[in-house]
């Protein structure tokens, strides 16, 4: 168990993080050169101010028309994404690892808060799942991949929660937690999860065309 | 999980262009063509859109087709992508002729390319673009609704939308000049006036069916004292259905002809009549296809032109238009160019009893005629009328007597909707009202 | 073409016509047209309801018509106009109507020296051309893209050789278009035909054709190039060489001569190819970067880029080239041999080379007034209206035709006056 633990927080972590970082860089370079070669008549209209305007506006809950129209989804989406990022980054147990391996540290969340936030992520995942299964708009376009992604995203939080509360076998859970977390990271560049970074660019592009060429709001 | 009951397979429409086109296909040709377009003509944009779409369905309510079909998800923007592009991508082009038929029907007749969904998707995914790629593939495969294909043929052969022959165009102008002289005796439609400030351009149907619009525009130009001209050669027609069939080469050829006509006449700008899709072709798509970043000759849409004339005191209101009016914001010049406030200023100047429809401005629903859908002809009339019940409700809620629709396509679409849903509304172009209510200093007593 | 050395090249200004006076007695006077030598100024005039004439230097034509349009001086100084008596149309040349009337006439074309005048015609909804009063024997269901050879010996047009029922997409795609030369159609049929052009001698014709909805190529006297392109633009005969056309391949544009790429397909746009008189120099307007245009002479790009470049001209010897560029602020710059003249103008017109190519002149507009530039320097005066400048045969004087305060005048300016 200890060897496995050492393996997953050691070499496997390097691999996971490596794929994550290199994958994103690779993907961005690949997409950019592809855009330059094939989408020049779109790329040429990118505008930094309008890109930022669009990203900013869409980052405000209940501001864009469509956020207003779908309150439950808006709450779930924002809560989910904020917690999804904040918990792993600011969790004390994670920061300790950074300190141990790299000697760096930063602010942390109180464990209690992190716990609630983890629950929020899980709750949001449940909400997404229920919505996917029942709301025809989503259900109609859902494939097995969407379920896998949802499970993938939820699993580090579920396992983390179980491990933290020492439900089931802690050691087993923590390893499962790390493995699923790393898998999650490593898969970001190559799955729908790449919306994490590519979404900024599609948003920026829509903002640029709408702002600079069309002279209207894109929200 | 698949909710199989929904989808295009349940609502196939017979159309000669689609039937015969699909019958000529072989799986090899389909695969080759799809792969060629995906590899040669699309890039990071399509890849990113397909990859990052989280299948949330939040775009559904942007689309009037979805809103008019009691929650049938196969009409939602992402539902249309699912039925077309995703399959082509997943199967790497290995799809059947029957699939292409259905994809063509979705892309040509169930999406107006209005881009409202771009404003509703959190990632700004442009479903209209994806539908255009599908159309491009269908064009290259020759599976296109008959009537819009015929229109593209007309464009290619005559450089206008309606098979108008070179002389018929000039003749229509001279006839309208005579008509207008009944009211304004010294009125002129100056043909081929090299070096004029403005070239006025219209769309193919004007000399054919809506000649009074040319007459009214001529009266406006004369009474406002504009230095203007109209060409006696091809290039007069700013419309472009090739842009909508996916025939990008003919789109480029049309726009080149149009702009080079203006460049030959050395005008400073092109003013165009009340048409939306033509504006898109000139301002957004056709110019790009020719590597002109923006329009090489500035193009001013009629709405903006009226606004300018009002601002400069060249257009004055002689009497108010008393009926209650509402304004339909055409996608291509509002969501496409942001002319909504200018349009309102002009409408308010002439119409004291103006009622907004809701939603409005850049959030207005499409007329469901745009994107070439009305040009797909009679077989698909019901598709767009039934597909826009929400527009009928929107119009009805205003209670207005008159709907102003400053776009040809919208005009055609709304006419069918007003009729189909028995709304009993009058439909007008803005120039109809301006013409009726403006000061005409040179009019005969 | 008139012999320019016979024109009056006496330096100085002469008022040819006071248009204010000219307006008396007319309901209205239409756009002024100046003759090439500047000695005449003409316009269509309205004499009352449905009564029009042409006023030349203050004198009306003897004939009146219920409608007259497109009055134009040809290169030989003759004035032609399209005239109708309400029933039929004719071409009147110096007040002399062609004998035969037609359903409709339009699109007047002049041979290079102006001795031949051709028009497009419609009779009973059939289309063709007429040259010096003589109509094609065969007319077609439709014709467009009309051309007259430089020598005036032949006419050509894209013609529809078979009737087409409404929305008959299959028949259309089978090919119903061809090229007719003097009314005789090629045997070959195409989906589309555009821009037939003649060789300098008027013996051969090349045109853009679309063989299917997707395959474009060039047809020469009915024979097509074997190569397929995703698009082509109008071909041109290179003097002493082959036929050169912009072609699109792999999403980019290049130049092909007789179906072989002579300029690699690497441009976002490539068009308006031009040649020196001996055919040795080739130039074209190209876009090496999306949205940026320039001129390439023998493939070498000028280092100047504009969002819009038009009106490329080569001097006869080919040693010099000029074009116009328009910038983001909609202001025009004149480029000569890859260098920009200093001024920026609201509008600029096609540059004109002196016969020896040493000098370049162009009409420009600033603040609603017009003048002529010589090698970048403006003439000392601006005008309400100006026509394109004309160089004297020696290139030492410039003929300026202008309207100043309602007076049409003819100015012979010395090059020192700029
Ligand atoms: S019709 Fe408009 S809203 Fe609907 S899918 Fe097409 S572009 Fe989007
Ligand atoms: S809203 Fe955007 S991400 Fe969601 S399903 Fe529609 S296109 Fe996909």
């Amino acid at each position: 168990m200890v060897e496995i633990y050492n393996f997953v927080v050691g070499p496997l972590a390097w691999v996971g993080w490596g794929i994550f970082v290199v994958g994103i860089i690779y993907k961005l370079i690949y997409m950019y050169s592809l855009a330059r070669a094939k989408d020049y008549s779109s790329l040429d209209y990118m505008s930094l101010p309008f890109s930022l305007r669009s990203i900013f506006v869409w980052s405000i809950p209940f501001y864009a028309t469509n956020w207003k129209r779908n309150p439950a989804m808006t709450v779930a989406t924002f809560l989910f994404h904020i917690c999804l990022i904040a918990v792993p980054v600011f969790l004390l147990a994670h920061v300790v690892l950074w300190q141990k391996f790299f000697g760096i540290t930063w602010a942390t969340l109180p464990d209690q808060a992190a716990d609630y936030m983890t629950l929020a992520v899980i709750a949001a995942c449940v909400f997404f799942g229920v919505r996917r299964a029942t709301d025809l708009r989503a259900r109609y376009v859902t494939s097995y991949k969407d379920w896998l992604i949802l499970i993938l995203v939820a699993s580090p939080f579920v396992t983390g929660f179980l491990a933290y509360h020492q439900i089931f076998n802690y050691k087993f859970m923590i390893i499962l937690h790390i493995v699923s977390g790393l898998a999650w990271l490593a898969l970001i560049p190559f799955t729908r999860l790449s919306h994490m970074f590519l979404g900024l660019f599609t948003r920026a592009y829509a903002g640029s065309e709408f702002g600079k060429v069309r002279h209207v709001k894109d929200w | 999980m698949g909710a199989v009951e929904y989808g295009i397979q349940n609502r196939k429409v017979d159309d000669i262009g689609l039937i015969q086109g699909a019958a000529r296909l072989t799986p090899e040709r389909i695969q080759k063509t799809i792969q060629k377009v995906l590899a040669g003509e699309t890039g990071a944009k399509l890849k990113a859109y397909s990859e990052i779409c989280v299948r949330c369905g939040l775009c559904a309510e942007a689309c009037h087709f979805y809103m008019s079909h009691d929650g049938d998800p196969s009409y939602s923007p992402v539902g249309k992508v699912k039925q077309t592009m995703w399959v082509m991508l997943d199967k790497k082009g290995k799809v059947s002729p029957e699939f292409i038929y259905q994809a063509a029907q979705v892309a040509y007749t169930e999406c107006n390319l209005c881009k409202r969904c771009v404003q509703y998707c959190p990632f700004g995914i442009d479903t209209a673009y994806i539908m255009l790629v599908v159309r491009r593939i269908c064009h290259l495969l020759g599976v296109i609704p008959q009537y819009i294909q015929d229109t593209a043929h007309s464009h290619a052969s005559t450089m206008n939308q309606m098979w108008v022959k070179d002389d018929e165009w000039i003749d229509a102008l001279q006839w309208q000049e005579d008509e207008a002289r009944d009211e304004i005796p010294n009125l002129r439609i100056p043909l081929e006036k090299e070096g004029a400030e403005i070239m006025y351009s219209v769309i193919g149907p004007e000399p054919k069916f809506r000649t009074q619009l040319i007459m009214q525009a001529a009266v406006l130009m004369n009474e406002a004292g504009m230095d203007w001209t109209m060409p006696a050669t091809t290039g007069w027609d700013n419309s472009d259905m090739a842009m909508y069939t996916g025939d990008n080469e003919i789109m480029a050829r049309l726009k080149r002809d149009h702009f080079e006509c203006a460049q030959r006449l050395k005008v400073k700008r092109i003013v165009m009549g009340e048409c939306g899709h033509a504006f898109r072709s000139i301002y957004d798509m056709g110019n790009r296809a020719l590597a002109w970043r923006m329009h090489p000759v500035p193009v001013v849409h009629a709405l903006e032109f009226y606004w300018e004339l009002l601002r400069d005191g060249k257009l004055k209101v002689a009497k108010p238009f008393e009926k209650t009016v509402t304004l339909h914001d055409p996608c291509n010049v509002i969501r496409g160019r942001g002319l909504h406030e200018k349009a309102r200023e002009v409408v308010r100047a002439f119409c004291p009893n103006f009622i907004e429809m809701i939603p409005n401005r850049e959030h207005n629903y499409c007329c469901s005629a745009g994107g070439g859908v009305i040009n797909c002809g009679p077989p698909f009339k019901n598709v767009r009328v039934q597909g826009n019940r929400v527009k009928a409700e929107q119009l009805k809620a205003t209670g207005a007597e008159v709907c102003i629709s400053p776009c040809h396509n919208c005009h055609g679409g709304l006419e069918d909707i007003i009729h189909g849903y028995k709304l009993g509304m009058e439909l007008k172009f803005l120039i109809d009202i301006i013409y009726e209510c403006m000061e005409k200093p040179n009019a005969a007593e | 073409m008139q012999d320019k050395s016979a024109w009056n090249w006496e330096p100085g200004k002469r008022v040819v016509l006071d248009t204010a006076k000219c307006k008396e007695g007319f309901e209205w006077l239409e756009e002024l047209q100046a003759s090439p030598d500047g000695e005449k100024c003409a316009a269509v005039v309205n004499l009352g309801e449905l009564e029009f004439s042409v006023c030349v230097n203050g004198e009306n034509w003897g004939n009146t018509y219920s409608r007259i349009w497109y009055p134009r001086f040809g290169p030989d100084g003759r004035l032609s106009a399209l005239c109708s008596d309400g029933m039929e149309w004719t071409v009147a040349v110096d007040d002399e109507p062609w004998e035969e009337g037609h359903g409709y006439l339009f699109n007047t074309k002049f041979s290079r020296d102006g001795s031949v005048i051709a028009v497009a015609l419609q009779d009973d909804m059939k289309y063709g051309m007429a040259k010096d009063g003589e109509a094609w024997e065969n007319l077609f269901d439709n014709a467009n893209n009309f051309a007259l050879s430089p020598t005036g010996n032949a006419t050509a047009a894209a013609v529809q050789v078979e009737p087409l029922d409404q929305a008959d997409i299959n028949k259309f795609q089978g090919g119903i278009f061809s090229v007719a030369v003097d009314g005789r159609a090629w045997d070959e049929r195409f989906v589309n035909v555009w821009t037939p052009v003649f060789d300098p001698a008027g013996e051969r014709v090349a045109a853009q054709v679309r063989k299917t909805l997707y395959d474009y190529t060039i047809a020469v006297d009915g024979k097509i190039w074997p190569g397929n392109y995703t698009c082509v633009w109008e071909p041109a005969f290179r003097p002493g060489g082959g036929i050169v056309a912009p072609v699109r391949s792999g999403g980019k544009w290049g130049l092909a001569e007789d179906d072989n790429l002579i300029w690699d397909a690497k441009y976002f746009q490539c068009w308006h190819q031009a040649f020196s008189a001996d055919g040795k120099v080739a130039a074209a307007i190209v876009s090496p970067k999306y949205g940026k245009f320039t001129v390439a002479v023998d493939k070498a790009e000028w280092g100047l880029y504009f969002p819009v470049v038009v009106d490329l001209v080569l001097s006869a010897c080919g040693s010099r080239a000029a074009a116009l560029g328009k910038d983001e602020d909609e202001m025009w710059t004149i480029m000569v041999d890859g260098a920009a003249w200093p001024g920026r103008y609201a509008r600029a017109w096609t540059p004109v080379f002196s016969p020896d190519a040493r000098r370049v002149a162009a009409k420009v507009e600033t603040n609603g007034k017009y003048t002529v530039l010589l090698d970048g320097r403006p003439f000392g005066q601006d005008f309400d209206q100006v026509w394109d400048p004309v160089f004297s045969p020696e290139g030492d004087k410039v003929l300026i035709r202008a309207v100043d305060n309602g007076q049409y005048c003819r100015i012979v300016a010395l090059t020192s006056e700029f």
Side-chain angles (χ1 to χ4, degrees):
Chain A
M1 223 43 151
V2 179
E3 288 97 76
I4 300 178
Y5 178 82
N6 284 340
F7 173 75
V8 296
V9 294
L12 197 66
W14 278 102
V15 171
W17 277 95
I19 296 176
F20 171 67
V21 172
V22 175
I24 288 181
I25 294 171
Y26 163 79
K27 192 84 178 222
L28 284 178
I29 293 174
Y30 169 74
M31 287 302 233
Y32 180 65
S33 45
L34 190 60
R36 282 192 45 148
K38 295 277 188 271
D39 300 303
Y40 46 83
S41 67
S42 299
L43 198 62
D44 206 51
Y45 298 81
M46 292 299 277
S47 140
L48 186 63
F50 286 115
S51 296
L52 295 177
R53 178 178 88 166
S54 185
I55 292 168
F56 176 73
V57 160
W58 276 89
S59 309
I60 307 169
F62 294 104
Y63 191 82
T65 309
N66 212 16
W67 287 146
K68 288 192 194 103
R69 285 190 73 108
N70 294 278
M73 189 62 175
T74 303
V75 170
T77 302
F78 277 90
L79 207 61
F80 171 77
H81 283 93
I82 291 167
C83 299
L84 184 82
I85 294 168
V87 171
V89 173
F90 297 110
L91 189 78
L92 180 64
H94 288 180
V95 176
V96 165
L97 285 176
W98 286 98
Q99 195 179 17
K100 181 172 153 207
F101 285 101
F102 298 101
I104 48 172
T105 179
W106 55 77
T108 57
L109 284 167
D111 276 359
Q112 189 70 25
D115 203 31
Y116 284 133
M117 286 165 80
T118 303
L119 277 175
V121 170
I122 295 167
C125 284
V126 170
F127 172 82
F128 292 146
V130 170
R131 184 175 179 279
R132 212 171 258 306
T134 58
D135 189 324
L136 267 183
R137 295 175 296 175
R139 187 171 130 187
Y140 184 67
V141 291
T142 295
S143 72
Y144 72 95
K145 282 190 206 160
D146 300 286
W147 290 110
L148 290 184
I149 292 283
L150 194 61
I151 293 166
L152 178 71
V153 171
S155 46
F157 290 87
V158 174
T159 51
F161 182 81
L162 295 179
Y164 175 70
H165 291 280
Q166 315 251 338
I167 306 172
F168 305 126
N169 183 323
Y170 171 77
K171 288 214 178 102
F172 178 69
M173 269 305 150
I174 203 73
I175 289 169
L176 213 54
H177 170 70
I178 298 169
V179 170
S180 62
L182 290 173
W184 179 64
L185 275 183
L187 283 169
I188 283 177
F190 309 105
T191 59
R192 224 151 273 171
L193 299 177
S194 62
H195 74 257
M196 170 189 143
F197 55 100
L198 290 181
L200 292 176
F201 292 94
T202 55
R203 185 75 266 155
Y205 173 62
S208 300
E209 287 275 5
F210 273 65
K212 200 162 135 194
V213 180
R214 305 173 154 253
H215 305 283
V216 281
K217 301 180 292 190
D218 61 325
W219 58 89
Chain B
M1 205 153 51
V4 280
E5 64 271 34
Y6 295 106
I8 183 71
Q9 69 279 4
N10 303 326
R11 49 178 189 264
K12 267 183 67 185
V13 173
D14 283 345
D15 176 275
I16 295 173
L18 297 181
I19 294 170
Q20 296 182 347
R24 281 191 294 260
L25 292 179
T26 59
E28 297 73 43
R29 180 170 167 208
I30 297 174
Q31 195 182 0
K32 220 176 105 200
T33 304
I34 294 179
Q35 287 180 353
K36 201 173 84 189
V37 171
L38 294 181
E41 300 186 14
T42 68
K45 199 155 109 176
L46 183 69
K47 265 209 165 62
Y49 287 162
S50 324
E51 185 174 313
I52 69 169
C53 168
V54 291
R55 279 72 172 162
C56 63
L58 279 178
C59 48
E61 283 161 6
C63 188
H64 50 282
F65 279 105
Y66 173 82
M67 295 299 278
S68 305
H69 280 108
D70 304 315
D72 179 341
S74 65
Y75 283 103
S76 76
V78 65
K80 295 171 207 182
V81 182
K82 169 198 152 100
Q83 296 173 84
T84 56
M85 184 48 78
W86 289 352
V87 182
M88 295 184 188
L89 287 169
D90 276 354
K91 303 203 166 161
K92 304 205 167 42
K94 271 191 212 146
V95 294
S96 65
E98 176 60 21
F99 172 85
I100 294 294
Y101 188 123
Q102 296 179 9
Q105 192 180 326
V106 170
Y108 285 110
T109 74
E110 294 183 356
C111 172
N112 298 103
L113 311 177
C114 74
K115 300 216 185 208
R116 193 170 188 262
C117 44
V118 182
Q119 289 172 306
Y120 283 68
C121 169
F123 300 118
I125 288 176
D126 186 350
T127 299
Y129 165 77
I130 301 172
M131 289 300 115
L132 268 172
V133 176
V134 176
R135 290 188 186 191
R136 173 70 176 164
I137 289 167
C138 294
H139 159 70
L140 293 174
L141 290 171
V143 184
I144 304 169
Q146 178 193 12
Y147 281 87
I148 192 168
Q149 181 62 62
D150 178 65
T151 308
H153 290 164
S154 166
H155 275 304
S157 312
T158 63
M159 295 289 131
N160 70 69
Q161 199 187 329
M162 292 261 134
W163 297 101
V164 176
K165 290 165 182 155
D166 288 7
D167 65 315
E168 293 173 336
W169 160 247
I170 308 166
D171 195 46
L173 295 185
Q174 292 176 334
W175 166 43
Q176 286 312 304
E177 188 178 55
D178 286 342
E179 292 282 305
R181 279 178 188 158
D182 288 346
E183 188 182 18
I184 318 268
N186 286 0
L187 175 138
R188 284 189 61 211
I189 297 182
L191 291 180
E192 290 291 309
K193 181 181 175 186
E194 193 254 345
E197 292 268 322
I198 291 168
M199 176 175 108
Y200 185 65
S201 72
V202 301
I203 72 167
E206 291 202 27
K208 204 97 176 173
F209 307 122
R210 285 172 172 165
T211 40
Q212 91 281 1
L213 290 175
I214 296 177
M215 191 269 283
Q216 292 171 353
V219 168
L220 179 67
M221 289 287 185
N222 273 267
E223 297 310 274
M226 293 288 107
D227 176 15
W228 68 300
T229 187
M230 289 181 93
T233 61
T234 62
W236 57 265
D237 181 10
N238 47 36
S239 71
D240 184 355
M241 280 303 139
M243 159 174 82
Y244 287 151
T245 60
D247 192 344
N248 300 345
E249 290 75 20
I250 293 297
M251 163 173 77
R253 184 169 294 271
L254 294 172
K255 290 311 107 170
R256 180 184 174 200
D257 197 43
H258 185 59
F259 282 121
E260 289 195 344
C261 179
Q263 288 173 334
R264 175 178 64 77
L265 288 168
K266 286 285 173 195
V267 296
K268 284 191 179 152
R269 50 194 196 145
I270 297 168
V271 172
M272 56 177 290
E274 294 177 35
C275 183
H277 92 273
F279 186 81
R280 176 195 201 132
S281 165
I282 290 170
Y283 181 76
D284 186 7
M285 291 182 60
N287 55 316
R288 294 188 196 199
L290 290 158
W292 279 317
R293 202 170 175 281
M294 297 305 287
H295 38 29
V297 179
V299 181
V300 181
H301 187 265
L303 287 176
E304 186 169 13
F305 184 62
Y306 305 150
W307 177 85
E308 256 182 48
L309 294 180
L310 262 184
R311 177 198 62 190
D312 299 343
K314 289 176 178 157
L315 168 63
K316 294 202 181 82
V317 184
K319 56 169 192 212
F321 185 81
E322 292 292 357
K323 290 183 180 165
T324 50
V325 303
T326 188
L327 172 68
H328 167 78
D329 291 287
C331 306
N332 284 321
V333 290
I334 306 303
R335 198 171 303 113
R337 180 58 185 80
L339 296 180
H340 40 280
E341 296 308 335
K342 285 178 177 164
R344 276 165 179 70
E345 282 183 43
V346 179
V347 169
R348 287 208 183 90
F350 283 90
C351 309
N353 304 308
F354 170 50
I355 306 163
E356 288 281 10
M357 62 175 80
I358 293 167
N360 55 50
R361 296 179 169 83
E362 68 267 56
H363 283 282
N364 187 29
Y365 285 118
C366 171
C367 63
S368 203
V373 175
I374 194 168
N375 305 73
C376 293
F380 300 98
K381 181 176 166 188
N382 280 340
V383 173
R384 64 186 159 80
V385 174
Q386 286 162 9
N388 213 355
R389 192 182 68 209
V390 66
K391 173 59 70 183
E393 288 159 6
Q394 191 194 11
L395 288 176
K396 193 164 183 199
T398 65
E401 294 161 276
V402 175
C403 175
I404 302 170
S405 156
C407 166
H408 278 271
N409 270 315
C410 299
H411 222 81
L414 295 183
E415 209 168 332
D416 291 334
I417 285 169
I418 289 172
H419 198 242
Y421 293 91
K422 302 195 173 52
L423 300 179
M425 250 178 173
E426 226 183 304
L427 192 61
K428 283 187 184 298
F429 286 97
L430 192 44
I431 188 88
D432 293 328
I433 292 176
I434 293 177
Y435 172 75
E436 192 180 322
C437 299
M438 67 187 271
E439 277 186 15
K440 293 176 195 153
N442 298 310
E445 295 302 302
Chain C
M1 190 118 48
Q2 288 172 313
D3 175 11
K4 283 191 191 141
S5 57
W7 294 2
N8 182 347
W9 288 106
E10 200 61 43
K13 171 176 172 177
R14 177 156 45 89
V15 175
V16 176
L17 180 71
D18 190 340
T19 60
K21 271 202 214 111
C22 204
K23 269 181 197 139
E24 287 163 19
F26 304 142
E27 288 296 320
W28 71 80
L29 176 84
E30 302 191 350
E31 292 79 42
L32 297 176
Q33 308 292 331
S35 65
D37 63 2
E39 300 287 358
K40 285 186 224 152
C41 171
V44 171
V45 290
N46 176 274
L47 308 168
E49 211 182 314
L50 291 180
E51 196 182 359
F52 289 85
S53 183
V54 175
C55 169
V56 185
N57 283 8
E59 298 278 325
N60 287 357
W61 277 2
N63 293 314
T64 62
Y65 299 91
S66 61
R67 188 181 283 282
I68 303 178
W69 72 287
Y70 207 63
R72 290 294 185 275
F73 284 99
D76 62 352
R78 290 187 299 159
L79 176 65
S80 74
L82 302 167
C83 309
S84 167
D85 59 5
M87 296 295 290
E88 288 195 315
W89 286 85
T90 188
V91 178
V93 183
D94 287 340
D95 200 13
E96 200 65 48
W98 284 359
E99 256 162 44
E100 218 156 310
H102 295 281
Y104 205 86
L105 295 176
F106 54 106
N107 210 333
T108 312
K109 300 209 173 278
F110 302 97
S111 61
R112 186 166 287 155
D113 66 2
S115 60
V116 176
I117 298 174
V119 289
L121 76 80
Q122 176 264 108
D123 267 325
D124 301 324
M125 300 308 286
K126 292 276 191 177
Y127 292 79
M129 294 184 79
K131 197 176 78 176
D132 286 341
E134 199 141 332
W136 285 0
E137 268 172 32
N138 275 330
L139 297 180
F140 298 88
D141 283 318
N142 197 3
N144 49 35
N145 290 259
F146 303 98
L148 172 65
S149 69
T151 56
N153 66 325
T155 50
V159 293
Q160 182 184 330
V161 290
E162 277 177 56
L164 185 69
D165 285 340
Q166 208 201 345
D168 189 345
I169 54 178
N170 291 323
K171 185 165 183 189
F172 178 90
Q173 290 174 17
I176 54 166
F177 286 91
S178 188
V179 170
V181 180
D182 291 332
R184 281 179 304 277
W186 291 348
D187 293 335
E188 294 74 13
R189 306 275 177 271
F190 304 100
V191 170
N192 281 113
V193 171
W194 301 283
T195 64
V197 290
F198 282 98
D199 72 327
E203 286 159 359
R204 305 174 66 200
V205 177
Q208 310 174 60
V209 298
R210 182 160 76 145
K211 298 187 294 178
T212 69
L213 290 186
Y214 324 108
D215 298 316
Y216 294 71
T217 194
I218 301 295
V220 185
D221 297 332
K223 302 276 160 302
I224 53 169
W225 286 0
N228 270 339
Y229 301 96
T230 50
C231 201
V232 296
W233 297 131
E234 62 276 10
F237 285 84
R238 180 206 282 268
I243 290 148
V244 178
V247 295
R248 192 167 198 249
S249 160
K252 296 276 177 67
W253 288 90
L255 277 184
E257 180 160 17
D258 297 339
D259 209 15
N260 300 309
L261 274 183
I262 53 167
W263 288 18
D264 286 345
K266 60 172 187 178
Y267 300 107
F268 290 85
Q269 191 51 269
C270 173
W271 51 24
H272 295 290
Q273 69 277 27
F275 306 99
S276 57
D278 63 4
K280 293 212 169 99
V281 180
I285 296 172
V286 296
S287 166
K289 271 187 231 130
Y290 176 74
K292 294 194 176 7
F293 286 78
T294 189
V295 169
V297 181
D298 284 338
K299 296 191 215 174
E301 283 162 32
W302 287 355
L304 278 175
Y305 300 92
F306 287 92
V308 178
V309 170
V310 296
D311 291 7
L312 168 65
V313 275
L314 241 63
S315 65
C317 59
S319 63
R320 306 191 70 190
L324 307 174
K326 192 177 73 164
D327 60 27
E328 279 83 3
D329 308 325
E330 301 293 333
M331 295 295 278
W332 292 88
T333 300
I334 294 152
M335 296 178 280
V336 180
D337 297 335
W341 284 358
R344 293 165 81 230
Y345 303 91
R347 272 190 285 197
W349 273 254
T350 316
V352 179
F353 281 100
S354 65
D356 61 5
R358 282 178 48 213
R359 296 177 187 282
V360 188
K363 167 187 172 184
V364 293
E365 178 194 345
T366 341
N367 298 328
K369 292 286 227 172
Y370 301 85
T371 193
V372 169
L373 304 178
L374 179 68
D375 293 333
R377 293 181 310 274
F379 183 66
Q381 190 189 348
D382 51 22
F383 305 94
D384 301 324
Q385 198 181 339
V386 162
W387 282 261
D388 280 337
V390 185
F391 279 100
S392 65
E394 290 76 37
D396 56 342
K397 298 183 200 97
V398 179
L399 170 66
I400 299 174
R401 299 164 291 167
V403 176
D404 183 21
N405 263 324
Q407 295 183 321
Y408 168 76
C409 51
R410 181 185 190 279
I411 300 168
V412 175
L414 296 169
T415 54
S416 57
E417 291 176 72
F418 289 86

